[in-house]
Amino acid sequence: MPHSLLTPLAHHAQDLLSAVRRDAPLVQCLTNFVSMNYAANAVLAIGASPAMVHAEEEAPEFAGFAGAVVINIGTLSSPWLQSMLLTAKAAADADTPWVLDPVAHHATAFRRDAIQRLLDLKPAIIRGNASEIIALAGGLSAGKGVDARDAVAHAEQSARDIATQRQTVVAVTGETDYVTDGARAVHITGGSPLMPRVTATGCALSAVVGAFAAVSRNDAFAAAVAALSCFGIAGQRAALHADGPGSFAWRFLDALAALEADCLTRESPLR
């Protein structure tokens, strides 16, 4: 993206972080067992309020007043899928933006069917690794389970195709992230090689994307860019003093909480 367009986008990201901190939006997360604690802490660190509400008996109702909904299929089961489908529909009916994290959606027939049903309920943003996005577009990925084996650059065309066909925003995360709505696109640098060595950093990112979607209802692209920019800067800062994945995990949460809004322009990772 030309530099003349990156500067306003960075300023918009700065404004959105200020809005998250000011409004503390309620982010409903239907996420996996592995990521619940870390994702909730990441949402708190960025300044929003997490609600890990997933039961079919209450999750759809909750979506009606949440600021955003995040659906992550990491530890999928039939009861959870039913709740996810009802909650995504309720979110759409209430004009609540919702984020889809298609964890290992290509691994089994159950997951492949689930992801198609969820896609039909029109997520505002899809956040996945390169292998997940390539497979989501119908391509042949090298992914194995939840692990990405494809470069982000190889997923860019798939991301654009999905964004255009589904009228959504697609965020592909990896060494250099890529975000597109089919018309606009941007690369985001930063982060650390330690991030994929900590369980639930990707899931936590999807939850934080939800926080930004809640304060940017008219521009999901800007929301995804702002969230990934925060993760990129925080990851880079946390890695400076981390001795390994264990110390990185808590340093990263501290770095998220310590982000100054203007760092998104001073240290902009947008390319």
Side-chain angles (χ1 to χ4, degrees):
M1 182 178 283
H3 182 74
S4 60
L5 297 178
L6 291 177
T7 300
L9 195 55
H11 280 285
H12 196 177
Q14 175 178 314
D15 292 341
L16 290 178
L17 177 55
S18 295
V20 169
R21 297 264 168 85
R22 181 191 67 235
D23 299 344
L26 182 62
V27 184
Q28 180 184 3
C29 300
L30 288 77
T31 191
N32 66 74
F33 292 117
V34 178
S35 73
M36 278 190 190
N37 181 264
Y38 199 75
N41 281 329
V43 171
L44 287 169
I46 206 67
S49 178
M52 317 315 267
V53 178
H54 63 266
E56 179 182 340
E57 293 80 3
E58 63 172 346
E61 180 183 355
F62 202 93
F65 57 82
V69 172
V70 178
I71 293 178
N72 174 309
I73 67 166
T75 50
L76 195 61
S77 67
S78 294
W80 272 43
L81 175 57
Q82 182 63 14
S83 182
M84 289 172 177
L85 293 168
L86 292 172
T87 303
K89 184 179 185 307
D93 290 345
D95 200 27
T96 301
W98 72 278
V99 178
L100 176 62
D101 190 334
V103 180
H105 68 88
H106 50 296
T108 67
F110 179 50
R111 287 174 179 272
R112 290 191 292 272
D113 175 70
I115 208 65
Q116 291 304 315
R117 295 170 70 186
L118 286 164
L119 283 171
D120 288 342
L121 294 171
K122 302 184 182 304
I125 302 169
I126 300 168
R127 201 292 310 168
N129 64 41
S131 296
E132 289 163 346
I133 298 304
I134 290 170
L136 202 61
L140 184 63
S141 82
K144 181 180 180 182
V146 299
D147 295 327
R149 299 292 180 91
D150 297 279
V152 170
H154 296 160
E156 291 183 8
Q157 184 60 54
S158 296
R160 289 191 295 271
D161 290 345
I162 295 167
T164 300
Q165 293 165 9
R166 294 284 181 174
Q167 296 185 307
T168 188
V169 170
V170 180
V172 191
T173 52
E175 186 173 348
T176 297
D177 302 332
Y178 178 77
V179 182
T180 183
D181 62 1
R184 297 173 289 177
V186 65
H187 293 93
I188 302 170
T189 60
S192 164
L194 287 170
M195 295 178 87
R197 296 178 62 194
V198 176
T199 297
T201 50
C203 303
L205 172 55
S206 296
V208 169
V209 169
F212 282 90
V215 297
S216 184
R217 288 173 174 249
N218 296 322
D219 193 345
F221 177 77
V225 169
L228 271 61
S229 296
C230 287
F231 257 59
I233 294 171
Q236 206 162 35
R237 289 182 178 182
L240 290 175
H241 303 291
D243 297 317
S247 58
F248 177 85
W250 65 261
R251 288 184 186 279
F252 178 70
L253 293 176
D254 283 354
L256 271 183
L259 287 177
E260 319 87 357
D262 66 354
C263 77
L264 290 166
T265 50
R266 287 188 291 104
E267 304 173 43
S268 176
L270 304 183
R271 301 291 183 268

